[in-house]
Amino acid sequence: MKHHIDFEPIGRRVDVDDDTTILDAARAGGVELMSVCGGVGTCYECKVRVAKGNVTPVTDIEQDALTADDLAQGFRLGCQCAPIGDVKIDIPAESLSTPQRLQVEGQGAEVELDPVAKIFDVEIPPPSLHDLRSDASRLIESIQCDHAAISLVLLSDLSSTLRRLNWRARVIARGDEVIAILPQDQSVLGLAVDIGTTKVAGYLVDLQTGETRAKAGVMNPQIGYGEDVISRIHYANTHKHGRETLQEKIVEGLNQLVDDLCSLANCSRDQIVESVIVGNTVIHHLFAGLPVEQLGEAPYVPAISEALEFRAKEIGLRLAPGAYVFLPPNIAGYVGADHVSMALASGIGETAQTVIGLDIGTNTEISLAHQGRVICCSCPSGPAFEGAHIQDGMRAAPGAIERVQIRGGVIQVHTIADQAAVGMCGSGILDAIAELINVGALDSRGGMKMDHPLTRQREKSKEVVLVDAQHSGHGRDVVITRKDINEIQLAKGAIRAGVEILLKVAGIGSGELDRFIVAGAFGTYLDLESAIRAGMFLDLPRDRFRQIGNAAGSGARRMLVSKNQRAAASDLARRMEYVELTVHPDFEKVFVKGMMF
Amino acid sequence: MKHHIDFEPIGRRVDVDDDTTILDAARAGGVELMSVCGGVGTCYECKVRVAKGNVTPVTDIEQDALTADDLAQGFRLGCQCAPIGDVKIDIPAESLSTPQRLQVEGQGAEVELDPVAKIFDVEIPPPSLHDLRSDASRLIESIQCDHAAISLVLLSDLSSTLRRLNWRARVIARGDEVIAILPQDQSVLGLAVDIGTTKVAGYLVDLQTGETRAKAGVMNPQIGYGEDVISRIHYANTHKHGRETLQEKIVEGLNQLVDDLCSLANCSRDQIVESVIVGNTVIHHLFAGLPVEQLGEAPYVPAISEALEFRAKEIGLRLAPGAYVFLPPNIAGYVGADHVSMALASGIGETAQTVIGLDIGTNTEISLAHQGRVICCSCPSGPAFEGAHIQDGMRAAPGAIERVQIRGGVIQVHTIADQAAVGMCGSGILDAIAELINVGALDSRGGMKMDHPLTRQREKSKEVVLVDAQHSGHGRDVVITRKDINEIQLAKGAIRAGVEILLKVAGIGSGELDRFIVAGAFGTYLDLESAIRAGMFLDLPRDRFRQIGNAAGSGARRMLVSKNQRAAASDLARRMEYVELTVHPDFEKVFVKGMMF
């Protein structure tokens, strides 16, 4: 007998026979449900929630894997149950493999729609000998906004546009300025972008409905000029037109991203009338063409920390000709608009609770909300979690190991898109380290115990083979080395130190934390247990953690559709207190301790 | 015995012996006092006023030349009197030859200084570990303007500029936007430009004192693409990138003009933070890059009639990087911002009198103020008065005949800079026609009476020789032909028709006019008697006429230094009622009549 399975939030329906497990059904339907053990019931990764309908009874394996609370809420393991009749299955973000998580994260920015761009559908009387008003006058009077001005870039095509549209137009005004004139059947879109040091995420949002019409990512093309922001500042300072080159590169990247988004949403860039772009302070400055010299020297002050807006055209970003770019405020040289945006989206600015929020990237920014204060800092965590500086590291792409388990002395891996392994992305590296600690292959200083069966010495390198050459995608072993582990120690030590110093500044202990929010792509895909086991995160009760996806991007989308949210971001930025970690007397001690396992 | 003669408003002192006439003294001192007869007392052009001191007694020639009123006010002929002791001589604008008139016209825009750009001299605390405000924040807080923003073009150099100036700066803000940062010892300048169809006049004004620091003119480089605005519209419509080409040309011309002005005033373009640019509607549109197709077809509506402002940089005009361009409102397709500016400067908008104001150019705009109404129209007078379409026509440059008299059957001419004649400029042509009418060489339809001794037939052309080949600067006769006279008839007929139609629309007769104001370079240099004799102007009592120079340029300077004047211009533009001449039922009749002598 056939049953329907509706997978949410993916929104995909799969029809299956009796006795087909949810995991098999997911695979058959192209739903990338996580599984490391291959469905034998040892990895517990394929956790799903039965939202509607009935499935086969709970197995012994599920009794071990799931808490009573989980079971009460309908959680099951996908490999252990099969539908009895039609069911609806809800897949938590952490049980989805990377590509589909990218599709569903950051949904539902629930803000009241109040975009800076206002939309008017008008029918304009054409000129005649009895009505000699200028084209601009008749347009402005049609939207009943006497003080409106029309920007030069629009005026240059205004007369032909109005005649081509036969005097029926959708007019978009921003404050007192008319910024676009579209046919009445075209939707009005906004662009939200989170420019990371390594990756760029873009969202196309319908400004009338708030709906996200398309999402896409590109690599930050500035990578070729320096992996981290310090090396990009150096490039800008030491090369002729260095700053201009870095600006051109990122603008080119965004133009490419806009192309991709427009293809996905089947629209034109002329429909994109507004954009909100977030990034760290160095990225922000390089994008806007601002000086970065002073960000490379103490006391590391930004050229500007206030919100900034200008025409997209001014920097060569190709949206609608009259479109604007809004850059939210930043806090300090190393706490940027992206963190303000994340703090906005995660509610850190408004909470009455004591909350840590962190956004892991090449630079990791952390905020602590406690009794009305919001204290923040910046940790140079480096690009190791993006796969850089790791011998077999790679970004989260098909063939990347994203989960590692060691069961009975055997290493099991799960790769993105179930392709043969060719490397490891951040969450895989972190898993590998946590599992190697668990099985006693690593000591507390990160050293490999060479008497452990999983370790080996090869030439000068101590290493562990995760996937051997016979099973890999490129015919070589995929390994994790002592040096890789050291890179991760530096990164996670910096993050842990940042958290510890913020707690010290606030004068509280970790037990007082109500919530520990982890944002960013890597922060969302990482295995929480691994992060805690590796000492990167505090060992708090698990229900205090929230992995919230690209919150900086969500915040950007909020500001895209809401003037109030822009004001809230500026207010939040003014309130946030910046702590310079490196001058804190305890920093070095805490950092060294943080590197330990 | 030596005497000092101080010539005003030129401001030049000349020392002379007894018995040296004022005219000779002027020539010796390089003061270009007008004289057609060469000092024999027949042309009456060297009229001056003795403002201080004593001169030799009034001669019989002066008794004939001057009214009792003139004599009572101290007016004399420069060729007829010599100083007795030190004197101060005031030269009326009409007695100065063109180049020096250009220097002195349009002085003294007496408006209260209230420029849109505000100036703050500040000392800014530099950043430190205890003061981590961004460079922009510390700048904005120093000018105590919390809502100020800094434009992107400034931000890109802000950090280095503040450090280079050692944190002491002259900050220029425009509304809530910081638009320039200068050293404290540099003056802050504005640019006013009147772009004519043929000629461009520019003024550099100190925004702190209101003083005009430099004046210069260039030809409008668009001339190569059409002599009048209609042919330029045609060019823009029929050539690929035609509109862009015409914009580039005029912007290039202005950049050249700014170079010249900066050399004259010994300053840099970075000091020019604001500009007001006026021109007719087609010129305005082409300058701003706006569409002109609809200006070429009935009902000839502008793309925009409201005041317009944008960054100079947006169109490639090189001033200070953050400088703005302000374009005052226009009225209709053929009554532009230049006429609004002229109406503003001449007080037409505010007068309780009945006043005609006209600005003669390739296109002539006329306004009539009567009982609170201001009615305006546009006449296609063509470029004949600029010397175009005239066989020996030329612009007002050295060697151009600018005055013509016929005494005892002999033609006498005065050329600009007293150089041998090479052609005629507009005022010379008009004089020649008036004098030929006086001596009966022309009939009322403009035909040459071939039995008159001054006329001759040469090949197909009927003509009058003004200067023969032996005395000319290029070895050829300088002549005025029947065809030239016809060109002038068309031009003056159009102007006269415009005046007559406005009087008809207002329902008044010419006798009710309190004032007849003539603006524009040609309008100022022309001989009033000649213009009346030729039937271009109404035959009103002479004291009702005012020749006020480049009033459009004066108005632009007023708007440059005063926000109130900008508001007044917008108000005036809204009030001005446009009359389309060509659809008036009496137009053709009045025009044909206006062509007669």
Side-chain angles (χ1 to χ4, degrees):
Chain A
M1 193 185 164
K2 287 271 181 194
H3 309 296
H4 298 315
I5 305 181
D6 286 315
F7 287 102
E8 295 296 344
I10 302 280
R12 191 164 302 163
R13 169 168 288 191
V14 182
D15 290 336
V16 296
D17 294 316
D18 281 335
D19 299 329
T20 305
T21 66
I22 300 291
L23 178 61
D24 287 337
R27 284 172 172 169
V31 177
E32 301 218 28
L33 182 56
M34 183 68 79
S35 168
V36 177
C37 67
V40 299
T42 58
C43 77
Y44 308 164
E45 294 279 349
C46 58
K47 192 166 141 183
V48 299
R49 195 173 69 84
V50 180
K52 202 171 163 184
N54 294 306
V55 296
T56 51
V58 175
T59 66
D60 290 346
I61 289 174
E62 288 174 298
Q63 292 287 4
D64 288 343
L66 303 167
T67 64
D69 207 34
D70 277 348
L71 287 168
Q73 287 180 49
F75 281 103
R76 302 292 297 271
L77 293 183
C79 65
Q80 297 295 311
C81 62
I84 321 173
D86 296 344
V87 293
K88 183 185 275 183
I89 298 296
D90 194 23
I91 308 181
E94 64 270 20
S95 298
L96 277 170
S97 188
T98 307
Q100 285 188 346
R101 263 187 281 179
L102 254 176
Q103 286 172 33
V104 298
E105 51 85 10
Q107 298 265 4
E110 282 167 30
V111 289
E112 202 176 324
L113 286 182
D114 174 30
V116 66
K118 300 292 174 205
I119 297 161
F120 305 86
D121 282 338
V122 293
E123 199 152 334
I124 302 164
S128 72
L129 274 172
H130 305 290
D131 178 2
L132 291 169
R133 288 175 300 161
S134 71
D135 290 337
S137 295
R138 65 188 66 245
L139 175 70
I140 284 167
E141 283 161 30
S142 77
I143 62 171
Q144 300 180 332
C145 180
D146 283 353
H147 294 95
I150 303 184
S151 81
L152 203 57
V153 286
L154 255 78
L155 281 170
S156 68
D157 288 322
L158 176 71
S159 300
S160 56
T161 301
L162 291 177
R163 284 161 181 80
R164 181 169 44 76
L165 296 179
N166 209 13
W167 304 97
R168 294 166 60 91
R170 175 160 289 176
V171 179
I172 297 97
R174 186 184 200 274
D176 277 343
E177 182 181 343
V178 175
I179 56 166
I181 301 166
L182 295 173
Q184 287 191 349
D185 58 0
Q186 283 192 0
S187 50
V188 181
L189 304 175
L191 171 73
V193 180
D194 173 28
I195 309 180
T197 308
T198 306
K199 291 186 286 192
V200 181
Y203 308 83
L204 214 50
V205 178
D206 188 312
L207 294 181
Q208 287 172 297
T209 65
E211 179 202 355
T212 298
R213 290 271 302 271
K215 300 177 191 183
V218 292
M219 296 301 283
N220 185 331
Q222 294 173 328
I223 287 176
Y225 301 83
E227 272 180 349
D228 52 36
V229 291
I230 297 295
S231 47
R232 290 185 207 164
I233 292 175
H234 182 71
Y235 181 87
N237 290 350
T238 55
H239 289 73
K240 201 179 167 187
H241 305 306
R243 199 215 294 180
E244 290 80 0
T245 301
L246 289 172
Q247 184 183 27
E248 277 164 25
K249 288 290 156 190
I250 185 61
V251 171
E252 266 173 33
L254 258 63
N255 280 329
Q256 178 57 51
L257 180 68
V258 171
D259 267 347
D260 297 349
L261 288 167
C262 286
S263 296
L264 287 169
N266 192 24
C267 68
S268 118
R269 25 177 101 237
D270 287 344
Q271 293 171 255
I272 309 174
V273 302
E274 179 75 15
S275 61
V276 174
I277 295 174
V278 301
N280 66 48
T281 307
V282 177
I283 293 288
H284 164 286
H285 277 39
L286 288 173
F287 174 70
L290 307 187
V292 291
E293 294 87 333
Q294 80 292 349
L295 288 173
E297 306 169 354
Y300 312 107
V301 296
I304 187 167
S305 49
E306 291 74 16
L308 183 60
E309 52 186 27
F310 48 85
R311 286 229 182 79
K313 205 183 165 183
E314 271 192 76
I315 57 162
L317 181 62
R318 296 195 304 275
L319 308 176
Y324 272 80
V325 171
F326 176 82
L327 302 180
N330 56 56
I331 311 289
Y334 291 92
V335 179
D338 52 352
H339 191 60
V340 175
S341 185
M342 174 271 186
L344 181 77
S346 63
I348 285 177
E350 293 165 358
T351 184
Q353 295 188 310
T354 296
V355 179
I356 284 271
L358 51 79
D359 198 343
I360 305 176
T362 311
N363 211 66
T364 297
E365 298 88 13
I366 312 177
S367 277
L368 168 61
H370 177 63
Q371 293 183 344
R373 289 175 73 188
V374 182
I375 314 166
C376 63
C377 69
S378 162
C379 326
S381 42
F385 290 128
E386 322 265 5
H389 298 187
I390 302 292
Q391 182 170 315
D392 285 337
M394 65 182 288
R395 66 191 184 90
I401 297 171
E402 61 166 345
R403 282 285 178 274
V404 177
Q405 283 188 341
I406 305 178
R407 293 286 182 273
V410 177
I411 295 176
Q412 297 174 320
V413 303
H414 179 263
T415 60
I416 295 176
D418 280 319
Q419 296 191 6
V422 291
M424 313 170 269
C425 66
S427 57
I429 300 165
L430 194 66
D431 274 8
I433 290 173
E435 291 289 273
L436 290 172
I437 298 168
N438 280 340
V439 300
L442 296 183
D443 64 26
S444 66
R445 304 174 67 92
M448 283 193 177
K449 297 188 186 160
M450 297 313 292
D451 54 354
H452 192 280
L454 287 176
T455 62
R456 76 178 186 194
Q457 177 88 32
R458 194 164 129 184
E459 294 169 13
K460 283 185 180 170
S461 176
K462 293 184 167 76
E463 61 186 35
V464 170
V465 178
L466 297 181
V467 174
D468 63 28
Q470 283 188 312
H471 297 90
S472 77
H474 49 29
R476 297 192 304 277
D477 293 343
V478 178
V479 301
I480 182 167
T481 69
R482 174 66 186 94
K483 197 183 144 295
D484 294 343
I485 289 164
N486 190 246
E487 290 286 340
I488 298 298
Q489 282 180 286
L490 289 168
K492 71 107 183 173
I495 293 169
R496 179 64 178 261
V499 170
E500 299 280 358
I501 297 285
L502 287 186
L503 292 172
K504 277 178 191 285
V505 170
I508 57 172
S510 63
E512 292 180 56
L513 286 173
D514 297 307
R515 185 91 52 228
F516 193 106
I517 296 174
V518 186
F522 166 67
T524 301
Y525 307 147
L526 62 74
D527 186 82
L528 200 54
E529 294 300 333
S530 296
I532 294 168
R533 186 70 190 84
M536 182 160 83
F537 292 168
L538 298 168
D539 189 4
L540 302 173
R542 301 307 184 255
D543 62 359
R544 300 199 187 167
F545 286 92
R546 291 288 181 280
Q547 290 168 275
I548 62 169
N550 185 350
S554 294
R557 277 180 285 168
R558 284 171 170 258
M559 289 182 270
L560 190 58
V561 299
S562 163
K563 278 191 291 192
N564 274 336
Q565 290 285 305
R566 293 188 187 191
S570 285
D571 182 54
L572 181 54
R574 267 191 296 272
R575 283 176 47 217
M576 288 171 85
E577 304 166 42
Y578 174 68
V579 174
E580 175 60 44
L581 279 191
T582 52
V583 301
H584 193 282
D586 293 343
F587 175 70
E588 202 167 333
K589 193 177 72 188
V590 173
F591 177 49
V592 171
K593 193 170 160 221
M595 284 176 61
M596 299 293 133
F597 292 123
Chain B
M1 192 185 164
K2 288 273 182 193
H3 309 297
H4 298 314
I5 304 180
D6 287 313
F7 286 103
E8 296 295 344
I10 301 280
R12 193 164 300 163
R13 169 168 291 190
V14 182
D15 290 335
V16 296
D17 293 315
D18 280 336
D19 301 328
T20 306
T21 66
I22 300 291
L23 177 63
D24 288 338
R27 285 171 171 170
V31 177
E32 302 217 28
L33 182 56
M34 183 69 79
S35 168
V36 176
C37 68
V40 300
T42 58
C43 77
Y44 309 163
E45 294 279 350
C46 58
K47 190 168 142 184
V48 298
R49 195 174 68 84
V50 181
K52 202 170 166 185
N54 294 305
V55 296
T56 51
V58 175
T59 66
D60 291 347
I61 291 173
E62 288 175 298
Q63 292 286 4
D64 289 344
L66 302 167
T67 63
D69 207 35
D70 278 348
L71 288 168
Q73 287 179 49
F75 280 103
R76 302 292 298 273
L77 294 183
C79 65
Q80 297 297 309
C81 63
I84 321 173
D86 296 343
V87 294
K88 185 185 273 183
I89 300 296
D90 194 22
I91 309 179
E94 64 270 20
S95 299
L96 276 170
S97 186
T98 307
Q100 285 188 346
R101 262 188 283 180
L102 256 175
Q103 285 172 34
V104 297
E105 52 86 8
Q107 297 267 2
E110 280 167 33
V111 290
E112 203 177 324
L113 287 181
D114 173 30
V116 66
K118 299 294 173 205
I119 297 162
F120 304 86
D121 282 338
V122 294
E123 199 153 332
I124 303 164
S128 71
L129 273 170
H130 304 291
D131 178 1
L132 291 169
R133 288 174 302 161
S134 71
D135 289 337
S137 295
R138 64 188 66 242
L139 175 69
I140 284 167
E141 284 162 28
S142 77
I143 62 171
Q144 299 180 331
C145 179
D146 283 354
H147 295 95
I150 303 184
S151 81
L152 203 56
V153 285
L154 256 76
L155 280 170
S156 68
D157 288 321
L158 176 71
S159 301
S160 57
T161 301
L162 291 178
R163 284 162 182 80
R164 180 167 45 75
L165 296 179
N166 209 14
W167 306 96
R168 293 165 62 91
R170 175 160 288 178
V171 179
I172 297 98
R174 187 184 200 274
D176 277 344
E177 182 182 343
V178 175
I179 56 166
I181 302 166
L182 295 173
Q184 288 191 348
D185 58 0
Q186 284 192 0
S187 50
V188 181
L189 303 175
L191 172 74
V193 181
D194 172 28
I195 309 182
T197 308
T198 306
K199 291 186 286 191
V200 182
Y203 308 82
L204 213 50
V205 177
D206 187 312
L207 296 180
Q208 287 172 296
T209 65
E211 180 202 354
T212 298
R213 291 272 301 272
K215 299 177 190 184
V218 293
M219 296 302 283
N220 185 331
Q222 294 174 328
I223 287 176
Y225 300 83
E227 272 179 350
D228 52 35
V229 292
I230 297 295
S231 47
R232 289 186 207 164
I233 291 174
H234 182 73
Y235 181 88
N237 290 351
T238 54
H239 288 74
K240 200 177 169 191
H241 305 305
R243 197 216 295 180
E244 290 80 0
T245 301
L246 289 172
Q247 183 182 29
E248 277 164 26
K249 289 290 159 192
I250 185 59
V251 171
E252 265 173 35
L254 259 62
N255 280 329
Q256 177 58 51
L257 180 68
V258 170
D259 267 347
D260 296 349
L261 289 166
C262 286
S263 296
L264 288 170
N266 192 23
C267 69
S268 119
R269 22 176 105 239
D270 287 344
Q271 293 171 254
I272 308 174
V273 303
E274 180 76 15
S275 61
V276 174
I277 295 172
V278 302
N280 67 49
T281 307
V282 177
I283 293 287
H284 164 286
H285 277 40
L286 289 172
F287 174 70
L290 306 187
V292 292
E293 293 89 332
Q294 80 292 348
L295 287 174
E297 303 168 356
Y300 313 106
V301 296
I304 187 168
S305 48
E306 291 75 14
L308 183 59
E309 53 186 27
F310 49 84
R311 286 229 182 79
K313 205 184 164 181
E314 271 191 76
I315 56 162
L317 181 61
R318 295 196 304 275
L319 306 178
Y324 272 80
V325 170
F326 176 83
L327 302 180
N330 55 56
I331 311 289
Y334 292 93
V335 180
D338 51 353
H339 191 60
V340 175
S341 185
M342 175 271 187
L344 181 76
S346 63
I348 285 177
E350 292 165 358
T351 184
Q353 296 188 309
T354 296
V355 179
I356 284 271
L358 52 78
D359 198 343
I360 306 175
T362 310
N363 212 65
T364 295
E365 299 87 13
I366 313 177
S367 278
L368 168 61
H370 177 61
Q371 293 182 344
R373 287 174 75 187
V374 183
I375 314 165
C376 62
C377 70
S378 162
C379 325
S381 43
F385 291 128
E386 322 265 5
H389 298 189
I390 300 294
Q391 183 170 312
D392 285 338
M394 65 182 287
R395 64 191 186 91
I401 296 171
E402 62 166 346
R403 282 285 178 273
V404 177
Q405 282 188 342
I406 305 177
R407 293 287 181 270
V410 178
I411 295 176
Q412 297 174 320
V413 303
H414 180 263
T415 60
I416 295 176
D418 280 319
Q419 295 192 4
V422 291
M424 311 171 271
C425 65
S427 57
I429 302 165
L430 193 65
D431 273 8
I433 290 173
E435 291 287 274
L436 290 172
I437 299 167
N438 281 340
V439 299
L442 295 184
D443 65 25
S444 67
R445 305 174 66 92
M448 283 192 179
K449 296 188 186 159
M450 296 315 291
D451 54 355
H452 192 280
L454 287 175
T455 61
R456 75 177 188 194
Q457 177 88 32
R458 194 166 129 185
E459 293 168 14
K460 286 185 179 170
S461 176
K462 295 184 168 73
E463 62 187 32
V464 171
V465 178
L466 298 182
V467 175
D468 64 28
Q470 283 188 309
H471 296 91
S472 77
H474 49 30
R476 296 192 305 276
D477 293 345
V478 178
V479 301
I480 183 166
T481 69
R482 173 67 185 93
K483 195 182 147 294
D484 295 342
I485 289 163
N486 190 244
E487 289 286 340
I488 297 299
Q489 283 180 288
L490 289 167
K492 70 107 184 173
I495 293 169
R496 179 64 177 261
V499 170
E500 300 280 0
I501 297 287
L502 288 186
L503 292 172
K504 279 179 190 283
V505 171
I508 56 173
S510 63
E512 291 180 57
L513 286 173
D514 297 307
R515 184 86 59 228
F516 193 104
I517 296 174
V518 187
F522 166 68
T524 301
Y525 308 147
L526 62 75
D527 186 85
L528 199 55
E529 294 300 331
S530 296
I532 294 167
R533 187 68 191 85
M536 183 161 81
F537 293 167
L538 299 168
D539 189 4
L540 302 173
R542 302 305 185 256
D543 61 359
R544 299 197 188 167
F545 286 92
R546 291 287 181 281
Q547 289 168 275
I548 62 168
N550 185 350
S554 293
R557 278 180 284 167
R558 284 170 172 261
M559 289 182 269
L560 190 57
V561 299
S562 162
K563 277 191 291 194
N564 274 337
Q565 289 286 304
R566 293 189 186 188
S570 285
D571 182 54
L572 181 55
R574 266 190 297 272
R575 282 175 48 216
M576 287 171 87
E577 303 166 42
Y578 175 69
V579 174
E580 175 60 43
L581 281 191
T582 54
V583 301
H584 194 281
D586 293 341
F587 176 70
E588 202 165 334
K589 193 177 71 188
V590 172
F591 177 49
V592 170
K593 191 169 162 226
M595 284 176 63
M596 300 293 133
F597 292 123

